[in-house]
Amino acid sequence: MLPLPRSWSLRPGPPFRLDADSEIDAGPGTEDTARWLSATVGAATGLPLPVRDGSAPGVRLRLDARTERSLGPEGYLLESGPAGVTLTGGGPAGLFWAAQTLRQLLGPAAYRRAPVRRDAVWTVPPVVIEDAPRFRWRGLMLDVARHFLPKDGVLRYLDLMAAHKMNTLHLHLTDDQGWRVQIRRYPRLTEVGGWRPRSRVGLTSSPLWDERPHGGYYTQDDVREIVAYAADRHITVVPEIDMPAHSQAAIAAHPELGVGDVVDTAAVEVWTEWGLSPNVLAPSDTVLRFYEHVLEEILELFPGPYVHIGGDECPMGQWRASPSVQARRTALGLPDEVALQHWLNRHFAEWLAERGRRPAAWDEIMDRRSPASGAGAQAAAWADTGAAFGAVSGAVRADVRPDARPSAESDLPPATTVLSWRGTAGGVAAVRAGHTAVMCPEEHLYLDHRQAAEGEPVPIGYVRTLADVYRFEPVPAGLTEEEAGRVAGAQGNAWSEALETPQRLDYQVFPRLAALAEVTWSDLPAPAERDVAEFEARMAGHRARLDALGVDHRRPGGPLPWQRRPGVPGRPMA
C-alpha cells in the first residue's frame, strides 16, 4: 500500500470476492463516495456495482465522527472479510481516502478505465486498516503560467493526486510568460497576456527556440469545473496571482501597471525568456485597485480558504530608479524598497483576511532588511544562481533583495500561510511568528529538478532522487511542539519552463510525488531511519498502477528513448 497506513493487520479467513452481485450500501452522507466507487471501480472491473441501501454482499460505506477511534475528518477504518468490505470515515474526506485504499487492494487493473479481462477475479484480502494523515497540507504546485496545461490535464492531475491521498493543488496562474485565468473586468489580461509569440527550448542559456505562439487560459466556467471536480475528490485548489514581480504579462496587457517613468511600458510584451524579468508592478494606487478587482473575481471562482499572492523574487532596480516610486516610499515613511514590497504584500494579505480568506505567499513575505555586513555574501549567492539562468536574468536576480532575511517578527494577518521555498528558514520564521508554514524547499521538493547526475532529458537544478524525496522531513529540527504544529505540511513544485508537454510533466513529477505523498501522509521515522529499500519495493508494485493510469513516469533505469531530449541544454546545479 502507498502511502503506508498508520496500522493494518491481516484477518484469518478467505478474501472477499467482488462480483456481479456485489452492491454498494451507502449510508447517510456517503453518497458522493458511493457514486465515485461505482463509476471508477465499476468501469475498471466491468461490474455494475449499484448504489443501494440493501443487504447484498458488497461494500458498506459509513460515516462515524465519534472520537473513540480518533479517526479525525480525514481518517478512516477499512474492515474486510468474506462477507464484504466496510469503509468508515471520520468525515467525508476520510471515507473517500478509504475508497482509494480499497482501489489499491483490488490491484493495478482497478486503475484502468475499462476491463482488461472480462473473466478477471476481483478480491480484497481480509484486513483491518486504521489510518489518518500526519499533515493537513499534502500538495502539488502546477506552474500553468510558463507552459499552459489545458483544463483536461488539470482534471487528470486531480485524479492522480486523489489516488495518492494528496489534498491541495496550488495553481501558479500568472507570471511574466502568461496570464492564465479569465477576469471579466479586464479581458486584455487573457486576450494579450495569455499569449506569447515564441518560447525558448530549454533554459535561458539555450540557443534553441520554438517559434510557435504559445498560450491559453481557463475561462471562468473552466475554473468552476476544476474547483468542483477537485471538491468531489476532497482537494482544495489554491490560486496564485503573483505580484509585484513575475508580472510582465499583466503589464503587457495593461501598461499602466508598470513603472512608467523608468521604462516605456507601452512597448512591453509578454516575455519570451525564462528566468526573471526586470519589469515589475508599480506600488501605486492604480495597481492596488486593479489587483483588488482581480482578486474580487478570484474569490468568486475559488471558494477555498487560501489565496496565494506570490511575493517572491522582486527586482528592485526599476523602483530605485523611479521618482514616483521613491516619492511613494517616502510618503509612506518606509526606509527602503524591501519595506515597500512588504507594504504592498501586506496590503493584499490584509485585504484577503478582511474577507475571511487565508492569505498565502512565498517566504519573501517574512523578509526584513539585514545588516550591511551580510549583504555581500548574499548578493554573490544570488549572482551565482542568476548566472546559471543567463546574462539577462542573472543580472536581474543579483538585484533581488540581496541583503534581506526572514524574520520571526511579523505584522501580517495571523492567518497568513507561508510557503518556504528558499530552504526552510522562511517557514521556521513563519511558525515562530505564529503563522502556518508549508515546506517546499527548492533543494528538496522542486520536481522540475533532475533525478540523476547524467542522462536526464533537460538537466535542471539539484539531483534529487526518489530516495532523496522520501527522506525529506517537513518539520525542521529545533522547533518547539507548538511551532511544529504550525507546519501544515509540504508540497512539490513543478515549474514548467522545460515541462512543455504532459509527458514531460509526468516524467518530472512521478514517481517522486508518490514519495512525497507518503512523507506527508504517513507517520515515518526520522529520515536517517527510513527504510528506503522497503519503500522502493512497494514502489515496484505502485509503478504498475501508474502504468495503468497512463502516467509517463521515470523508470528506475532512467529515461526511455521517447523521454530523452538530446541537445536541449538545462541548468544543472551542484
Side-chain angles (χ1 to χ4, degrees), residues 210-243:
D210 182 344
E211 297 293 345
R212 296 173 298 174
H214 177 83
Y217 62 91
Y218 307 113
T219 68
Q220 295 208 350
D221 280 348
D222 289 338
V223 171
R224 293 185 183 96
E225 181 182 356
I226 288 168
V227 169
Y229 196 84
D232 284 346
R233 286 146 184 80
H234 300 277
I235 296 173
T236 297
V237 182
V238 179
E240 180 183 356
I241 305 296
D242 215 337
M243 61 182 94

Side-chain angles (χ1 to χ4, degrees), residues 264-282:
D264 179 8
T265 56
V268 170
E269 297 180 341
V270 178
W271 217 30
T272 58
E273 295 283 356
W274 305 130
L276 180 61
S277 166
N279 292 302
V280 299
L281 300 174

Side-chain angles (χ1 to χ4, degrees), residues 511-529:
R512 291 182 295 182
L513 192 70
L516 182 60
E518 183 149 309
V519 165
T520 53
W521 178 278
S522 306
D523 288 320
L524 299 177
E529 300 169 8

Side-chain angles (χ1 to χ4, degrees), residues 527-548:
E529 300 169 8
R530 292 179 189 173
D531 191 340
V532 174
E534 187 274 340
F535 171 74
E536 291 183 336
R538 281 186 289 117
M539 269 304 309
H542 190 66
R543 288 176 187 276
R545 300 184 189 110
L546 296 179
D547 288 337

Side-chain angles (χ1 to χ4, degrees), residues 397-420:
R397 283 179 175 271
D399 188 42
V400 175
R401 315 167 71 91
D403 53 356
R405 302 287 191 281
S407 170
E409 296 180 2
S410 176
D411 56 0
L412 297 165
T416 301
T417 295
V418 174
L419 284 81
S420 190

Side-chain angles (χ1 to χ4, degrees), residues 1-9 76-78 97 101 104-105 127-134 165 470 517-518 521-524 534 538:
M1 286 175 282
L2 195 154
L4 197 65
R6 181 171 292 182
S7 69
W8 67 278
S9 59
Y76 67 87
L77 180 68
L78 184 153
W97 304 135
T101 298
Q104 282 202 24
L105 294 173
V127 294
V128 177
I129 300 172
E130 188 169 342
D131 202 6
R134 179 186 177 195
K165 300 186 176 74
Y470 191 65
E518 183 149 309
W521 178 278
S522 306
D523 288 320
L524 299 177
E534 187 274 340
R538 281 186 289 117

Side-chain angles (χ1 to χ4, degrees), residues 21-47:
D21 294 325
S22 300
E23 298 178 353
I24 298 174
D25 177 6
T30 71
E31 294 83 3
D32 290 345
T33 295
R35 282 192 292 271
W36 180 88
L37 264 177
S38 180
T40 306
V41 175
T45 60
L47 302 176

